Amino acid sequence: MNKMLFAAVVACSLSALAGAEYPELPQKITDETPEQRDARMAWWRNDRFGMFIHFGLYAVPARHEWVKSREYIDDKTYDSKYLPRFNPDLFDAKEWARLAKAAGMKYAVLTAKHHEGFCMWDTATTDYKITKTDFGRDLVREYVDAFRAEGLKIGFYFSIKDWHHPDYLIDVTHPLRPKDPRQYSDEKFAELNKGRDWNRYRKYMWDQIDELLTNYGKIDIIWFDYTVKNPAHPNWGKTYKSWDAVNLVKHTRKLQPGIIIDNRLDLMDTDDGWDFVTPEQFKAAAWPTVRGKKVPWETCQTFSGSWGYYRDEMTWKSGPQLIELLSETVSKGGNLIMNVGPTARGEFDERAKERLAGFAKWMHWNARSIYGCTVAPEGIAAPNGTSVTYNPETNRVYIHLYDYPMGFLPVPWLDRVEYAQFLHDGSEIAIRPPPHSHSQSGDTHLIGGLVTPMLKPGVEVPVIEIWLKK
Ligand code: GLC
């Protein structure tokens, strides 16, 4: 066996041992140091809370942004029905930005293009775009200007899948896939994709990314979505090679040096082909790790069961659930990006506005327990029915009271507490040290804790702010 081949075999086996899916991928694809990366992401780690906005043609059928795939709708049907009716005449980017800011959101990510392939900006690459509808304006431009004016960081969601482009290779999520999965086969997909030129699609995709990262000023986040993988049948899905992802990340960073990139280009075998992991629609049990190391993470969540506007979908989360989602995420060192799906008229609907108002009210009093906070230090465990966040700069702990304690909150680490107060009104919370002897009322008082009013204050989730002893 020649030396080159031997080296390749060794590399494969080592990386296989390390569990790498793609032994050919290097661990690092850029020369950025971990310290440089931390500095680039400092604002994102501090700000913790963002707004996702899923808006596109799919708001017209109003039954999920995947409606075209779920209902196997071809281009002719989809476009003839919905394009002529797409005119978000009530759209007001300033109102969107005002609502996001009031809710305490510090950054926003708008779908510039979702899987349906319809472009929300005035792209030169296709006429399948918003400026060719009755609406006629560059919505992305207005979004960028309005959210930047309110001081929010700017992000784009960009679908690397495109169910409209004639060269996008039909795969297991495409609207033109066989309706019966039992018909899936390499031969079938090869037949469906006859004449489709993937290189032509990839160039189109790259050209669009160039426009978005060149024509709209400083872009802080790009949210690529997503590599539909089918390892058992590679031709039924995509991999990082499909996007030329390593070069795409390098190119993205060249265009926007400070940009933060999500993890959906299928480069998880590298340490820097992504900046954060994206657990979606569930509460992470603990701070996510990759190869044994805690990594930056952002959970993306919807108010209801859909990203795009879905009129008849009723599983809308309650106010307390949403506050718990935000505070519990931060207590595990993560970010929350909360999604709004505007209606086809271009407005956030009443159900979304109600929940944004709930965040606004709670964040008005309690933002200090979110911004700049992270997981609590060793030994500071969350008392029952709560979660704790911690600001390392101020050395303060925040206890979020999900189950309101009736009069007393046992705190096992009371010896570390210097002072405590309610965050919403700054009122002192008394500290009750552990009793010297067994109290007749049972073991609750065996340890010290905080004396809370019997009645819950008028706050969705009350927060106790604690100064830790130095
Ligand atoms: C999932 C959904 C997609 C949505 C994304 C947001 O991939 O399929 O429609 O845009 O989540 O994270």
Side-chain angles (χ1 to χ4, degrees):
M1 187 186 291
N2 74 35
K3 278 210 182 86
M4 286 286 283
L5 181 57
F6 179 72
V9 167
V10 167
C12 285
S13 42
L14 282 180
S15 47
L17 280 177
E21 193 177 355
Y22 304 115
E24 75 279 8
L25 270 179
Q27 189 103 13
K28 269 184 73 56
I29 62 170
T30 69
D31 54 11
E32 185 181 53
T33 65
E35 296 70 28
Q36 288 167 332
R37 179 195 214 170
D38 282 351
R40 175 167 57 82
M41 294 186 71
W43 73 263
W44 184 87
R45 239 190 339 269
N46 178 75
D47 290 356
R48 288 294 180 219
F49 189 28
M51 176 182 274
F52 225 156
I53 306 169
H54 275 67
F55 192 41
L57 268 191
Y58 44 79
V60 182
R63 47 188 192 277
H64 201 278
E65 73 285 353
W66 274 59
V67 60
K68 189 174 182 183
S69 170
R70 287 178 171 188
E71 299 178 11
Y72 299 91
I73 306 173
D74 62 36
D75 292 345
K76 189 164 172 294
T77 310
Y78 194 80
D79 296 343
S80 59
K81 276 180 88 176
Y82 304 128
L83 262 180
R85 280 108 199 172
F86 184 73
N87 180 6
D89 59 316
L90 300 179
F91 168 70
D92 174 356
K94 293 190 177 79
E95 174 65 0
W96 286 12
R98 191 187 63 74
L99 290 170
K101 182 175 183 180
M105 292 154 165
K106 292 282 193 178
Y107 59 93
V109 176
L110 167 74
T111 52
K113 181 180 87 169
H114 205 265
H115 308 333
E116 65 179 5
F118 183 70
C119 302
M120 303 297 276
W121 77 101
D122 189 22
T123 175
T125 61
T126 174
D127 282 346
Y128 198 53
K129 61 183 177 179
I130 191 166
T131 42
K132 288 285 184 190
T133 65
D134 290 348
F135 180 72
R137 299 172 359 225
D138 184 330
L139 187 134
V140 162
R141 168 74 60 200
E142 296 182 29
Y143 150 76
V144 167
D145 293 347
F147 280 70
R148 198 171 274 154
E150 287 286 1
L152 277 82
K153 293 283 197 302
I154 301 297
F156 292 140
Y157 166 108
F158 182 83
S159 175
I160 48 183
K161 296 149 62 82
D162 189 315
W163 296 329
H164 183 268
H165 196 279
D167 290 318
Y168 186 83
L169 293 183
I170 295 165
D171 57 31
V172 291
T173 65
H174 197 285
L176 299 182
R177 70 192 182 282
K179 287 195 172 63
D180 178 354
R182 289 171 300 182
Q183 286 185 4
Y184 291 176
S185 71
D186 285 350
E187 296 70 28
K188 185 66 185 166
F189 280 109
E191 179 201 319
L192 287 169
N193 286 317
K194 219 188 196 78
R196 288 182 177 242
D197 176 341
W198 180 258
N199 290 325
R200 199 161 44 201
Y201 167 71
R202 186 163 54 200
K203 179 176 183 321
Y204 170 84
M205 179 188 109
W206 273 57
D207 288 348
Q208 291 194 332
I209 293 166
D210 277 0
E211 288 182 335
L212 289 168
L213 299 184
T214 308
N215 303 337
Y216 295 91
K218 186 176 184 314
I219 304 305
D220 302 290
I221 298 164
I222 187 135
W223 227 97
F224 292 117
D225 188 42
Y226 71 96
T227 305
V228 52
K229 294 176 65 165
N230 203 316
H233 303 279
N235 302 334
W236 304 3
K238 308 292 185 289
T239 71
Y240 77 93
K241 293 175 189 157
S242 311
W243 325 115
D244 190 6
V246 172
N247 290 318
L248 178 58
V249 168
K250 292 176 179 173
H251 182 65
T252 297
R253 294 207 186 288
K254 213 160 92 219
L255 292 173
Q256 293 279 348
I259 202 162
I260 294 173
I261 305 176
D262 72 322
N263 70 325
R264 297 191 178 185
L265 289 172
D266 190 26
L267 289 176
M268 287 310 291
D269 278 355
T270 72
D271 287 343
D272 55 354
W274 52 280
D275 287 315
F276 63 96
V277 296
T278 54
E280 172 178 325
Q281 298 285 44
F282 67 92
K283 287 164 78 171
W287 190 323
T289 59
V290 171
R291 291 181 282 279
K293 239 177 96 224
K294 285 181 177 177
V295 291
W297 66 285
E298 172 192 78
T299 181
C300 46
Q301 300 276 347
T302 52
F303 283 136
S304 71
S306 173
W307 300 91
Y309 181 65
Y310 192 150
R311 181 194 64 214
D312 302 339
E313 211 284 335
M314 297 300 164
T315 63
W316 285 70
K317 298 175 182 74
S318 68
Q321 271 183 304
L322 293 165
I323 302 297
E324 181 169 338
L325 188 56
L326 173 59
S327 48
E328 213 244 354
T329 297
V330 175
S331 78
K332 291 167 181 157
N335 283 29
L336 168 67
I337 188 165
M338 202 71 227
N339 180 75
V340 186
T343 71
R345 299 291 299 274
E347 288 185 313
F348 295 169
D349 77 324
E350 290 312 306
R351 298 169 293 186
K353 283 199 272 198
E354 196 183 308
R355 284 154 181 83
L356 288 171
F359 271 125
K361 187 173 178 191
W362 189 82
M363 287 292 277
H364 167 73
W365 287 317
N366 301 295
R368 257 196 340 245
S369 73
I370 299 297
Y371 301 146
C373 288
T374 185
V375 64
E378 199 58 40
I380 305 276
N384 285 343
T386 76
S387 75
V388 286
T389 61
Y390 173 68
N391 184 321
E393 297 292 307
T394 61
N395 196 32
R396 291 183 205 173
V397 165
Y398 296 91
I399 306 180
H400 298 82
L401 303 173
Y402 303 135
D403 305 339
Y404 186 71
M406 283 198 320
F408 178 72
L409 180 72
V411 175
W413 35 272
L414 194 70
D415 56 323
R416 311 225 355 221
V417 176
E418 179 188 300
Y419 182 81
Q421 65 178 18
F422 269 136
L423 187 48
H424 66 280
D425 65 0
S427 59
E428 183 178 10
I429 295 271
I431 296 171
R432 177 186 292 161
H436 296 300
S437 61
H438 279 273
S439 76
Q440 19 332 36
S441 65
D443 63 5
T444 347
H445 289 214
L446 270 186
I447 63 168
L450 300 173
V451 181
T452 54
M454 190 52 74
L455 295 182
K456 177 181 167 187
V459 188
E460 201 68 272
V461 173
V463 180
I464 298 176
E465 180 175 40
I466 290 176
W467 276 254
L468 289 183
K469 290 173 183 164
K470 299 259 181 311

